[in-house]
Amino acid sequence: MLTSRLDATFAALADPTRRAILARLASGEASVLELAEPFAMSQPAISKHLKVLERAGLISRGRDAQRRPCRIEAQPLAEATGWLEEYRKFWEGRFQRLDDLLNELKPPTRKETKR
Amino acid sequence: MLTSRLDATFAALADPTRRAILARLASGEASVLELAEPFAMSQPAISKHLKVLERAGLISRGRDAQRRPCRIEAQPLAEATGWLEEYRKFWEGRFQRLDDLLNELKPPTRKETKR
């Protein structure tokens, strides 16, 4: 169900290391070893984060038993963005109305003032 | 810091009731009582969710001591969307390449086939 997928996706994204892993994987596949390096984190710590990402469907692992390269999966990210998109309309509308209001409240510029 | 704000935002969004509360508030302010009604949830249970949303900056509460109406706040939603937007380019690129590949593999249509 989409609801529980969104739960898992947002929970997985609520951690800076996991977001950084996804950012790294967006530029290509990587093994746990390659992922662990820039984070100054132990391999087991990274593996734990990868399991959360994998359970949420945000990454998949290759079959190569040695490397098991990680690959980013677009679908859950697309779904999470889809959910947030609903609110984009809402907040962009808000900001537009705010802009309009600020423009109305602004004192007239010199050019507009007649003396 | 943006990083910890994103942590809080994504964690707050990882719950279906909290997402439903935001969906309700997108159409206008509401009191805890008004929010509790459609969810068949106790007021304390809703209040707990509201505290998570408020701590994440996703909602604010009015000063009216009786009602303390809840209002959705756009900024954290905009930031979360901003983070996900980075990946939109990535996955749209992927899907485009996939489309191209499928088009290449497709057998030529009749019009294109010369006999």
PDB file of all heavy atoms in Angstrom, chain A residues 67-103:
ATOM      1  N   ARG A  67      30.730  -8.035  -3.825  1.00  0.00           N
ATOM      2  CA  ARG A  67      30.540  -6.580  -3.731  1.00  0.00           C
ATOM      3  C   ARG A  67      29.127  -6.181  -3.332  1.00  0.00           C
ATOM      4  O   ARG A  67      28.938  -5.199  -2.637  1.00  0.00           O
ATOM      5  CB  ARG A  67      30.867  -5.927  -5.092  1.00  0.00           C
ATOM      6  CG  ARG A  67      32.328  -5.640  -5.315  1.00  0.00           C
ATOM      7  CD  ARG A  67      32.489  -4.878  -6.619  1.00  0.00           C
ATOM      8  NE  ARG A  67      32.321  -3.435  -6.478  1.00  0.00           N
ATOM      9  CZ  ARG A  67      31.450  -2.693  -7.140  1.00  0.00           C
ATOM     10  NH1 ARG A  67      30.616  -3.248  -7.982  1.00  0.00           N
ATOM     11  NH2 ARG A  67      31.393  -1.381  -6.956  1.00  0.00           N
ATOM     12  N   ARG A  68      28.146  -6.944  -3.778  1.00  0.00           N
ATOM     13  CA  ARG A  68      26.726  -6.595  -3.610  1.00  0.00           C
ATOM     14  C   ARG A  68      26.520  -5.083  -3.781  1.00  0.00           C
ATOM     15  O   ARG A  68      26.106  -4.392  -2.839  1.00  0.00           O
ATOM     16  CB  ARG A  68      26.205  -7.054  -2.231  1.00  0.00           C
ATOM     17  CG  ARG A  68      26.324  -8.568  -2.048  1.00  0.00           C
ATOM     18  CD  ARG A  68      25.178  -9.103  -1.242  1.00  0.00           C
ATOM     19  NE  ARG A  68      23.905  -8.809  -1.877  1.00  0.00           N
ATOM     20  CZ  ARG A  68      22.776  -8.589  -1.220  1.00  0.00           C
ATOM     21  NH1 ARG A  68      22.750  -8.625   0.087  1.00  0.00           N
ATOM     22  NH2 ARG A  68      21.661  -8.341  -1.869  1.00  0.00           N
ATOM     23  N   PRO A  69      26.819  -4.551  -4.968  1.00  0.00           N
ATOM     24  CA  PRO A  69      26.737  -3.098  -5.161  1.00  0.00           C
ATOM     25  C   PRO A  69      25.332  -2.558  -4.902  1.00  0.00           C
ATOM     26  O   PRO A  69      24.338  -3.218  -5.209  1.00  0.00           O
ATOM     27  CB  PRO A  69      27.123  -2.913  -6.628  1.00  0.00           C
ATOM     28  CG  PRO A  69      26.854  -4.230  -7.274  1.00  0.00           C
ATOM     29  CD  PRO A  69      27.129  -5.264  -6.223  1.00  0.00           C
ATOM     30  N   CYS A  70      25.273  -1.383  -4.313  1.00  0.00           N
ATOM     31  CA  CYS A  70      23.993  -0.730  -4.016  1.00  0.00           C
ATOM     32  C   CYS A  70      23.617   0.191  -5.160  1.00  0.00           C
ATOM     33  O   CYS A  70      24.463   0.869  -5.726  1.00  0.00           O
ATOM     34  CB  CYS A  70      24.116   0.108  -2.745  1.00  0.00           C
ATOM     35  SG  CYS A  70      24.643  -0.864  -1.345  1.00  0.00           S
ATOM     36  N   ARG A  71      22.329   0.217  -5.425  1.00  0.00           N
ATOM     37  CA  ARG A  71      21.802   1.025  -6.525  1.00  0.00           C
ATOM     38  C   ARG A  71      20.605   1.797  -5.967  1.00  0.00           C
ATOM     39  O   ARG A  71      19.791   1.241  -5.228  1.00  0.00           O
ATOM     40  CB  ARG A  71      21.339   0.051  -7.622  1.00  0.00           C
ATOM     41  CG  ARG A  71      21.044   0.655  -8.976  1.00  0.00           C
ATOM     42  CD  ARG A  71      20.646  -0.451  -9.953  1.00  0.00           C
ATOM     43  NE  ARG A  71      21.702  -1.444 -10.128  1.00  0.00           N
ATOM     44  CZ  ARG A  71      21.614  -2.740  -9.787  1.00  0.00           C
ATOM     45  NH1 ARG A  71      20.506  -3.219  -9.255  1.00  0.00           N
ATOM     46  NH2 ARG A  71      22.632  -3.549  -9.979  1.00  0.00           N
ATOM     47  N   ILE A  72      20.498   3.064  -6.315  1.00  0.00           N
ATOM     48  CA  ILE A  72      19.358   3.864  -5.868  1.00  0.00           C
ATOM     49  C   ILE A  72      18.126   3.467  -6.691  1.00  0.00           C
ATOM     50  O   ILE A  72      18.248   3.134  -7.869  1.00  0.00           O
ATOM     51  CB  ILE A  72      19.664   5.384  -6.007  1.00  0.00           C
ATOM     52  CG1 ILE A  72      18.642   6.232  -5.245  1.00  0.00           C
ATOM     53  CG2 ILE A  72      19.742   5.816  -7.456  1.00  0.00           C
ATOM     54  CD1 ILE A  72      19.037   7.719  -5.171  1.00  0.00           C
ATOM     55  N   GLU A  73      16.958   3.451  -6.049  1.00  0.00           N
ATOM     56  CA  GLU A  73      15.713   3.120  -6.757  1.00  0.00           C
ATOM     57  C   GLU A  73      14.810   4.355  -6.758  1.00  0.00           C
ATOM     58  O   GLU A  73      14.553   4.946  -5.702  1.00  0.00           O
ATOM     59  CB  GLU A  73      14.999   1.945  -6.073  1.00  0.00           C
ATOM     60  CG  GLU A  73      15.736   0.612  -6.212  1.00  0.00           C
ATOM     61  CD  GLU A  73      15.775   0.093  -7.653  1.00  0.00           C
ATOM     62  OE1 GLU A  73      14.889   0.464  -8.455  1.00  0.00           O
ATOM     63  OE2 GLU A  73      16.714  -0.667  -7.968  1.00  0.00           O
ATOM     64  N   ALA A  74      14.340   4.737  -7.908  1.00  0.00           N
ATOM     65  CA  ALA A  74      13.656   6.023  -8.062  1.00  0.00           C
ATOM     66  C   ALA A  74      12.209   6.015  -7.565  1.00  0.00           C
ATOM     67  O   ALA A  74      11.709   7.027  -7.076  1.00  0.00           O
ATOM     68  CB  ALA A  74      13.696   6.451  -9.525  1.00  0.00           C
ATOM     69  N   GLN A  75      11.537   4.871  -7.639  1.00  0.00           N
ATOM     70  CA  GLN A  75      10.085   4.819  -7.393  1.00  0.00           C
ATOM     71  C   GLN A  75       9.642   5.440  -6.052  1.00  0.00           C
ATOM     72  O   GLN A  75       8.778   6.316  -6.047  1.00  0.00           O
ATOM     73  CB  GLN A  75       9.615   3.358  -7.517  1.00  0.00           C
ATOM     74  CG  GLN A  75       8.122   3.138  -7.329  1.00  0.00           C
ATOM     75  CD  GLN A  75       7.306   3.637  -8.515  1.00  0.00           C
ATOM     76  OE1 GLN A  75       7.837   3.833  -9.594  1.00  0.00           O
ATOM     77  NE2 GLN A  75       6.024   3.860  -8.291  1.00  0.00           N
ATOM     78  N   PRO A  76      10.234   5.024  -4.911  1.00  0.00           N
ATOM     79  CA  PRO A  76       9.765   5.607  -3.637  1.00  0.00           C
ATOM     80  C   PRO A  76      10.048   7.104  -3.549  1.00  0.00           C
ATOM     81  O   PRO A  76       9.261   7.847  -2.950  1.00  0.00           O
ATOM     82  CB  PRO A  76      10.574   4.857  -2.570  1.00  0.00           C
ATOM     83  CG  PRO A  76      11.133   3.663  -3.253  1.00  0.00           C
ATOM     84  CD  PRO A  76      11.285   4.012  -4.686  1.00  0.00           C
ATOM     85  N   LEU A  77      11.143   7.557  -4.145  1.00  0.00           N
ATOM     86  CA  LEU A  77      11.445   8.991  -4.147  1.00  0.00           C
ATOM     87  C   LEU A  77      10.405   9.742  -4.965  1.00  0.00           C
ATOM     88  O   LEU A  77       9.967  10.828  -4.601  1.00  0.00           O
ATOM     89  CB  LEU A  77      12.844   9.237  -4.726  1.00  0.00           C
ATOM     90  CG  LEU A  77      14.014   8.763  -3.870  1.00  0.00           C
ATOM     91  CD1 LEU A  77      15.319   8.848  -4.649  1.00  0.00           C
ATOM     92  CD2 LEU A  77      14.128   9.593  -2.592  1.00  0.00           C
ATOM     93  N   ALA A  78       9.998   9.119  -6.076  1.00  0.00           N
ATOM     94  CA  ALA A  78       8.968   9.735  -6.929  1.00  0.00           C
ATOM     95  C   ALA A  78       7.643   9.827  -6.158  1.00  0.00           C
ATOM     96  O   ALA A  78       6.948  10.840  -6.218  1.00  0.00           O
ATOM     97  CB  ALA A  78       8.805   8.936  -8.209  1.00  0.00           C
ATOM     98  N   GLU A  79       7.316   8.759  -5.405  1.00  0.00           N
ATOM     99  CA  GLU A  79       6.062   8.754  -4.639  1.00  0.00           C
ATOM    100  C   GLU A  79       6.071   9.808  -3.526  1.00  0.00           C
ATOM    101  O   GLU A  79       5.078  10.507  -3.310  1.00  0.00           O
ATOM    102  CB  GLU A  79       5.811   7.369  -4.047  1.00  0.00           C
ATOM    103  CG  GLU A  79       5.385   6.357  -5.099  1.00  0.00           C
ATOM    104  CD  GLU A  79       5.389   4.916  -4.583  1.00  0.00           C
ATOM    105  OE1 GLU A  79       5.797   4.693  -3.424  1.00  0.00           O
ATOM    106  OE2 GLU A  79       4.989   4.031  -5.350  1.00  0.00           O
ATOM    107  N   ALA A  80       7.211   9.910  -2.817  1.00  0.00           N
ATOM    108  CA  ALA A  80       7.325  10.897  -1.743  1.00  0.00           C
ATOM    109  C   ALA A  80       7.209  12.311  -2.316  1.00  0.00           C
ATOM    110  O   ALA A  80       6.535  13.172  -1.745  1.00  0.00           O
ATOM    111  CB  ALA A  80       8.649  10.731  -0.999  1.00  0.00           C
ATOM    112  N   THR A  81       7.863  12.534  -3.458  1.00  0.00           N
ATOM    113  CA  THR A  81       7.759  13.846  -4.105  1.00  0.00           C
ATOM    114  C   THR A  81       6.322  14.109  -4.515  1.00  0.00           C
ATOM    115  O   THR A  81       5.820  15.219  -4.351  1.00  0.00           O
ATOM    116  CB  THR A  81       8.693  13.928  -5.330  1.00  0.00           C
ATOM    117  OG1 THR A  81       9.987  13.480  -4.944  1.00  0.00           O
ATOM    118  CG2 THR A  81       8.801  15.354  -5.845  1.00  0.00           C
ATOM    119  N   GLY A  82       5.666  13.059  -5.034  1.00  0.00           N
ATOM    120  CA  GLY A  82       4.257  13.195  -5.429  1.00  0.00           C
ATOM    121  C   GLY A  82       3.390  13.654  -4.269  1.00  0.00           C
ATOM    122  O   GLY A  82       2.539  14.525  -4.427  1.00  0.00           O
ATOM    123  N   TRP A  83       3.628  13.082  -3.093  1.00  0.00           N
ATOM    124  CA  TRP A  83       2.853  13.481  -1.919  1.00  0.00           C
ATOM    125  C   TRP A  83       3.109  14.958  -1.597  1.00  0.00           C
ATOM    126  O   TRP A  83       2.187  15.738  -1.381  1.00  0.00           O
ATOM    127  CB  TRP A  83       3.199  12.593  -0.708  1.00  0.00           C
ATOM    128  CG  TRP A  83       2.287  12.886   0.451  1.00  0.00           C
ATOM    129  CD1 TRP A  83       1.065  12.328   0.691  1.00  0.00           C
ATOM    130  CD2 TRP A  83       2.510  13.840   1.503  1.00  0.00           C
ATOM    131  NE1 TRP A  83       0.518  12.875   1.829  1.00  0.00           N
ATOM    132  CE2 TRP A  83       1.377  13.799   2.337  1.00  0.00           C
ATOM    133  CE3 TRP A  83       3.545  14.709   1.813  1.00  0.00           C
ATOM    134  CZ2 TRP A  83       1.246  14.599   3.475  1.00  0.00           C
ATOM    135  CZ3 TRP A  83       3.421  15.525   2.930  1.00  0.00           C
ATOM    136  CH2 TRP A  83       2.283  15.454   3.755  1.00  0.00           C
ATOM    137  N   LEU A  84       4.394  15.347  -1.587  1.00  0.00           N
ATOM    138  CA  LEU A  84       4.748  16.733  -1.257  1.00  0.00           C
ATOM    139  C   LEU A  84       4.260  17.721  -2.314  1.00  0.00           C
ATOM    140  O   LEU A  84       3.974  18.878  -2.002  1.00  0.00           O
ATOM    141  CB  LEU A  84       6.263  16.854  -1.059  1.00  0.00           C
ATOM    142  CG  LEU A  84       6.766  16.374   0.311  1.00  0.00           C
ATOM    143  CD1 LEU A  84       8.254  16.078   0.273  1.00  0.00           C
ATOM    144  CD2 LEU A  84       6.485  17.423   1.386  1.00  0.00           C
ATOM    145  N   GLU A  85       4.168  17.251  -3.562  1.00  0.00           N
ATOM    146  CA  GLU A  85       3.721  18.118  -4.660  1.00  0.00           C
ATOM    147  C   GLU A  85       2.350  18.730  -4.386  1.00  0.00           C
ATOM    148  O   GLU A  85       2.077  19.851  -4.787  1.00  0.00           O
ATOM    149  CB  GLU A  85       3.654  17.333  -5.976  1.00  0.00           C
ATOM    150  CG  GLU A  85       4.980  17.197  -6.692  1.00  0.00           C
ATOM    151  CD  GLU A  85       5.591  18.538  -7.059  1.00  0.00           C
ATOM    152  OE1 GLU A  85       4.859  19.411  -7.524  1.00  0.00           O
ATOM    153  OE2 GLU A  85       6.795  18.707  -6.844  1.00  0.00           O
ATOM    154  N   GLU A  86       1.494  17.954  -3.713  1.00  0.00           N
ATOM    155  CA  GLU A  86       0.156  18.449  -3.371  1.00  0.00           C
ATOM    156  C   GLU A  86       0.246  19.744  -2.580  1.00  0.00           C
ATOM    157  O   GLU A  86      -0.621  20.604  -2.672  1.00  0.00           O
ATOM    158  CB  GLU A  86      -0.591  17.408  -2.518  1.00  0.00           C
ATOM    159  CG  GLU A  86      -0.933  16.140  -3.243  1.00  0.00           C
ATOM    160  CD  GLU A  86      -1.900  16.376  -4.382  1.00  0.00           C
ATOM    161  OE1 GLU A  86      -2.908  17.064  -4.159  1.00  0.00           O
ATOM    162  OE2 GLU A  86      -1.619  15.900  -5.500  1.00  0.00           O
ATOM    163  N   TYR A  87       1.305  19.849  -1.790  1.00  0.00           N
ATOM    164  CA  TYR A  87       1.462  20.992  -0.910  1.00  0.00           C
ATOM    165  C   TYR A  87       2.194  22.127  -1.585  1.00  0.00           C
ATOM    166  O   TYR A  87       2.099  23.263  -1.160  1.00  0.00           O
ATOM    167  CB  TYR A  87       2.130  20.551   0.393  1.00  0.00           C
ATOM    168  CG  TYR A  87       1.237  19.545   1.042  1.00  0.00           C
ATOM    169  CD1 TYR A  87       1.326  18.200   0.736  1.00  0.00           C
ATOM    170  CD2 TYR A  87       0.207  19.976   1.864  1.00  0.00           C
ATOM    171  CE1 TYR A  87       0.434  17.296   1.258  1.00  0.00           C
ATOM    172  CE2 TYR A  87      -0.680  19.076   2.389  1.00  0.00           C
ATOM    173  CZ  TYR A  87      -0.564  17.732   2.082  1.00  0.00           C
ATOM    174  OH  TYR A  87      -1.459  16.850   2.580  1.00  0.00           O
ATOM    175  N   ARG A  88       2.895  21.789  -2.660  1.00  0.00           N
ATOM    176  CA  ARG A  88       3.568  22.830  -3.435  1.00  0.00           C
ATOM    177  C   ARG A  88       2.530  23.849  -3.920  1.00  0.00           C
ATOM    178  O   ARG A  88       2.677  25.034  -3.697  1.00  0.00           O
ATOM    179  CB  ARG A  88       4.296  22.228  -4.631  1.00  0.00           C
ATOM    180  CG  ARG A  88       4.854  23.295  -5.578  1.00  0.00           C
ATOM    181  CD  ARG A  88       5.370  22.661  -6.842  1.00  0.00           C
ATOM    182  NE  ARG A  88       6.574  21.898  -6.596  1.00  0.00           N
ATOM    183  CZ  ARG A  88       7.801  22.446  -6.549  1.00  0.00           C
ATOM    184  NH1 ARG A  88       7.955  23.734  -6.757  1.00  0.00           N
ATOM    185  NH2 ARG A  88       8.854  21.711  -6.320  1.00  0.00           N
ATOM    186  N   LYS A  89       1.448  23.332  -4.500  1.00  0.00           N
ATOM    187  CA  LYS A  89       0.368  24.218  -4.977  1.00  0.00           C
ATOM    188  C   LYS A  89      -0.059  25.116  -3.823  1.00  0.00           C
ATOM    189  O   LYS A  89      -0.209  26.309  -3.975  1.00  0.00           O
ATOM    190  CB  LYS A  89      -0.848  23.392  -5.431  1.00  0.00           C
ATOM    191  CG  LYS A  89      -0.618  22.557  -6.672  1.00  0.00           C
ATOM    192  CD  LYS A  89      -1.796  21.589  -6.871  1.00  0.00           C
ATOM    193  CE  LYS A  89      -1.291  20.227  -7.318  1.00  0.00           C
ATOM    194  NZ  LYS A  89      -2.211  19.134  -7.017  1.00  0.00           N
ATOM    195  N   PHE A  90      -0.240  24.473  -2.663  1.00  0.00           N
ATOM    196  CA  PHE A  90      -0.725  25.191  -1.496  1.00  0.00           C
ATOM    197  C   PHE A  90       0.229  26.303  -1.074  1.00  0.00           C
ATOM    198  O   PHE A  90      -0.140  27.447  -0.917  1.00  0.00           O
ATOM    199  CB  PHE A  90      -0.946  24.190  -0.359  1.00  0.00           C
ATOM    200  CG  PHE A  90      -0.958  24.819   0.993  1.00  0.00           C
ATOM    201  CD1 PHE A  90      -2.025  25.597   1.398  1.00  0.00           C
ATOM    202  CD2 PHE A  90       0.100  24.638   1.853  1.00  0.00           C
ATOM    203  CE1 PHE A  90      -2.032  26.191   2.648  1.00  0.00           C
ATOM    204  CE2 PHE A  90       0.102  25.221   3.105  1.00  0.00           C
ATOM    205  CZ  PHE A  90      -0.964  26.001   3.499  1.00  0.00           C
ATOM    206  N   TRP A  91       1.529  25.954  -0.918  1.00  0.00           N
ATOM    207  CA  TRP A  91       2.426  26.972  -0.382  1.00  0.00           C
ATOM    208  C   TRP A  91       2.813  27.992  -1.452  1.00  0.00           C
ATOM    209  O   TRP A  91       3.018  29.155  -1.119  1.00  0.00           O
ATOM    210  CB  TRP A  91       3.634  26.374   0.335  1.00  0.00           C
ATOM    211  CG  TRP A  91       4.832  26.087  -0.482  1.00  0.00           C
ATOM    212  CD1 TRP A  91       5.657  26.982  -1.118  1.00  0.00           C
ATOM    213  CD2 TRP A  91       5.385  24.811  -0.743  1.00  0.00           C
ATOM    214  NE1 TRP A  91       6.666  26.324  -1.758  1.00  0.00           N
ATOM    215  CE2 TRP A  91       6.528  25.004  -1.546  1.00  0.00           C
ATOM    216  CE3 TRP A  91       5.036  23.511  -0.373  1.00  0.00           C
ATOM    217  CZ2 TRP A  91       7.312  23.939  -1.983  1.00  0.00           C
ATOM    218  CZ3 TRP A  91       5.828  22.468  -0.794  1.00  0.00           C
ATOM    219  CH2 TRP A  91       6.941  22.686  -1.599  1.00  0.00           C
ATOM    220  N   GLU A  92       2.887  27.595  -2.703  1.00  0.00           N
ATOM    221  CA  GLU A  92       3.189  28.580  -3.737  1.00  0.00           C
ATOM    222  C   GLU A  92       2.046  29.586  -3.829  1.00  0.00           C
ATOM    223  O   GLU A  92       2.274  30.773  -3.985  1.00  0.00           O
ATOM    224  CB  GLU A  92       3.460  27.901  -5.077  1.00  0.00           C
ATOM    225  CG  GLU A  92       4.856  27.317  -5.124  1.00  0.00           C
ATOM    226  CD  GLU A  92       5.235  26.750  -6.469  1.00  0.00           C
ATOM    227  OE1 GLU A  92       4.344  26.551  -7.317  1.00  0.00           O
ATOM    228  OE2 GLU A  92       6.424  26.489  -6.666  1.00  0.00           O
ATOM    229  N   GLY A  93       0.810  29.105  -3.688  1.00  0.00           N
ATOM    230  CA  GLY A  93      -0.355  29.990  -3.662  1.00  0.00           C
ATOM    231  C   GLY A  93      -0.244  30.971  -2.505  1.00  0.00           C
ATOM    232  O   GLY A  93      -0.436  32.169  -2.669  1.00  0.00           O
ATOM    233  N   ARG A  94       0.124  30.443  -1.337  1.00  0.00           N
ATOM    234  CA  ARG A  94       0.301  31.258  -0.144  1.00  0.00           C
ATOM    235  C   ARG A  94       1.325  32.353  -0.372  1.00  0.00           C
ATOM    236  O   ARG A  94       1.117  33.501  -0.042  1.00  0.00           O
ATOM    237  CB  ARG A  94       0.834  30.382   1.005  1.00  0.00           C
ATOM    238  CG  ARG A  94      -0.203  29.672   1.750  1.00  0.00           C
ATOM    239  CD  ARG A  94      -0.471  30.403   3.065  1.00  0.00           C
ATOM    240  NE  ARG A  94      -1.588  29.769   3.723  1.00  0.00           N
ATOM    241  CZ  ARG A  94      -1.546  29.328   4.972  1.00  0.00           C
ATOM    242  NH1 ARG A  94      -0.438  29.451   5.690  1.00  0.00           N
ATOM    243  NH2 ARG A  94      -2.600  28.778   5.506  1.00  0.00           N
ATOM    244  N   PHE A  95       2.501  31.937  -0.890  1.00  0.00           N
ATOM    245  CA  PHE A  95       3.585  32.889  -1.079  1.00  0.00           C
ATOM    246  C   PHE A  95       3.170  33.940  -2.108  1.00  0.00           C
ATOM    247  O   PHE A  95       3.522  35.100  -1.987  1.00  0.00           O
ATOM    248  CB  PHE A  95       4.878  32.178  -1.491  1.00  0.00           C
ATOM    249  CG  PHE A  95       5.492  31.386  -0.372  1.00  0.00           C
ATOM    250  CD1 PHE A  95       6.391  30.347  -0.616  1.00  0.00           C
ATOM    251  CD2 PHE A  95       5.198  31.676   0.958  1.00  0.00           C
ATOM    252  CE1 PHE A  95       6.956  29.618   0.423  1.00  0.00           C
ATOM    253  CE2 PHE A  95       5.761  30.947   2.006  1.00  0.00           C
ATOM    254  CZ  PHE A  95       6.640  29.919   1.733  1.00  0.00           C
ATOM    255  N   GLN A  96       2.419  33.521  -3.109  1.00  0.00           N
ATOM    256  CA  GLN A  96       1.958  34.472  -4.117  1.00  0.00           C
ATOM    257  C   GLN A  96       1.057  35.521  -3.464  1.00  0.00           C
ATOM    258  O   GLN A  96       1.237  36.705  -3.660  1.00  0.00           O
ATOM    259  CB  GLN A  96       1.220  33.728  -5.252  1.00  0.00           C
ATOM    260  CG  GLN A  96       0.893  34.624  -6.443  1.00  0.00           C
ATOM    261  CD  GLN A  96       2.114  35.427  -6.906  1.00  0.00           C
ATOM    262  OE1 GLN A  96       3.176  34.884  -7.162  1.00  0.00           O
ATOM    263  NE2 GLN A  96       1.982  36.739  -6.968  1.00  0.00           N
ATOM    264  N   ARG A  97       0.108  35.016  -2.628  1.00  0.00           N
ATOM    265  CA  ARG A  97      -0.799  35.954  -1.962  1.00  0.00           C
ATOM    266  C   ARG A  97      -0.018  36.888  -1.037  1.00  0.00           C
ATOM    267  O   ARG A  97      -0.325  38.054  -0.924  1.00  0.00           O
ATOM    268  CB  ARG A  97      -1.870  35.188  -1.164  1.00  0.00           C
ATOM    269  CG  ARG A  97      -2.978  34.639  -2.039  1.00  0.00           C
ATOM    270  CD  ARG A  97      -4.210  34.288  -1.225  1.00  0.00           C
ATOM    271  NE  ARG A  97      -3.986  33.179  -0.308  1.00  0.00           N
ATOM    272  CZ  ARG A  97      -3.996  31.909  -0.670  1.00  0.00           C
ATOM    273  NH1 ARG A  97      -4.198  31.568  -1.924  1.00  0.00           N
ATOM    274  NH2 ARG A  97      -3.808  30.956   0.222  1.00  0.00           N
ATOM    275  N   LEU A  98       1.013  36.350  -0.385  1.00  0.00           N
ATOM    276  CA  LEU A  98       1.859  37.144   0.509  1.00  0.00           C
ATOM    277  C   LEU A  98       2.571  38.233  -0.286  1.00  0.00           C
ATOM    278  O   LEU A  98       2.623  39.389   0.127  1.00  0.00           O
ATOM    279  CB  LEU A  98       2.865  36.211   1.195  1.00  0.00           C
ATOM    280  CG  LEU A  98       3.736  36.814   2.288  1.00  0.00           C
ATOM    281  CD1 LEU A  98       2.905  37.222   3.485  1.00  0.00           C
ATOM    282  CD2 LEU A  98       4.804  35.807   2.731  1.00  0.00           C
ATOM    283  N   ASP A  99       3.110  37.837  -1.460  1.00  0.00           N
ATOM    284  CA  ASP A  99       3.775  38.814  -2.339  1.00  0.00           C
ATOM    285  C   ASP A  99       2.807  39.924  -2.728  1.00  0.00           C
ATOM    286  O   ASP A  99       3.155  41.105  -2.687  1.00  0.00           O
ATOM    287  CB  ASP A  99       4.269  38.125  -3.622  1.00  0.00           C
ATOM    288  CG  ASP A  99       5.591  37.414  -3.403  1.00  0.00           C
ATOM    289  OD1 ASP A  99       6.189  37.591  -2.324  1.00  0.00           O
ATOM    290  OD2 ASP A  99       6.016  36.672  -4.296  1.00  0.00           O
ATOM    291  N   ASP A 100       1.590  39.524  -3.107  1.00  0.00           N
ATOM    292  CA  ASP A 100       0.579  40.508  -3.509  1.00  0.00           C
ATOM    293  C   ASP A 100       0.317  41.484  -2.370  1.00  0.00           C
ATOM    294  O   ASP A 100       0.261  42.697  -2.577  1.00  0.00           O
ATOM    295  CB  ASP A 100      -0.737  39.807  -3.886  1.00  0.00           C
ATOM    296  CG  ASP A 100      -0.574  38.942  -5.135  1.00  0.00           C
ATOM    297  OD1 ASP A 100       0.453  39.097  -5.839  1.00  0.00           O
ATOM    298  OD2 ASP A 100      -1.454  38.115  -5.399  1.00  0.00           O
ATOM    299  N   LEU A 101       0.172  40.913  -1.159  1.00  0.00           N
ATOM    300  CA  LEU A 101      -0.124  41.723   0.019  1.00  0.00           C
ATOM    301  C   LEU A 101       1.002  42.718   0.283  1.00  0.00           C
ATOM    302  O   LEU A 101       0.782  43.897   0.518  1.00  0.00           O
ATOM    303  CB  LEU A 101      -0.320  40.801   1.229  1.00  0.00           C
ATOM    304  CG  LEU A 101      -0.739  41.483   2.521  1.00  0.00           C
ATOM    305  CD1 LEU A 101      -2.172  41.972   2.413  1.00  0.00           C
ATOM    306  CD2 LEU A 101      -0.609  40.534   3.708  1.00  0.00           C
ATOM    307  N   LEU A 102       2.259  42.226   0.218  1.00  0.00           N
ATOM    308  CA  LEU A 102       3.418  43.080   0.476  1.00  0.00           C
ATOM    309  C   LEU A 102       3.488  44.200  -0.555  1.00  0.00           C
ATOM    310  O   LEU A 102       3.827  45.328  -0.234  1.00  0.00           O
ATOM    311  CB  LEU A 102       4.705  42.244   0.460  1.00  0.00           C
ATOM    312  CG  LEU A 102       4.876  41.279   1.635  1.00  0.00           C
ATOM    313  CD1 LEU A 102       6.093  40.397   1.435  1.00  0.00           C
ATOM    314  CD2 LEU A 102       5.000  42.041   2.954  1.00  0.00           C
ATOM    315  N   ASN A 103       3.154  43.865  -1.792  1.00  0.00           N
ATOM    316  CA  ASN A 103       3.159  44.885  -2.844  1.00  0.00           C
ATOM    317  C   ASN A 103       2.115  45.961  -2.581  1.00  0.00           C
ATOM    318  O   ASN A 103       2.372  47.141  -2.807  1.00  0.00           O
ATOM    319  CB  ASN A 103       2.922  44.237  -4.214  1.00  0.00           C
ATOM    320  CG  ASN A 103       4.208  43.640  -4.763  1.00  0.00           C
ATOM    321  OD1 ASN A 103       5.307  44.134  -4.490  1.00  0.00           O
ATOM    322  ND2 ASN A 103       4.087  42.567  -5.524  1.00  0.00           N
TER     323      ASN A 103
END
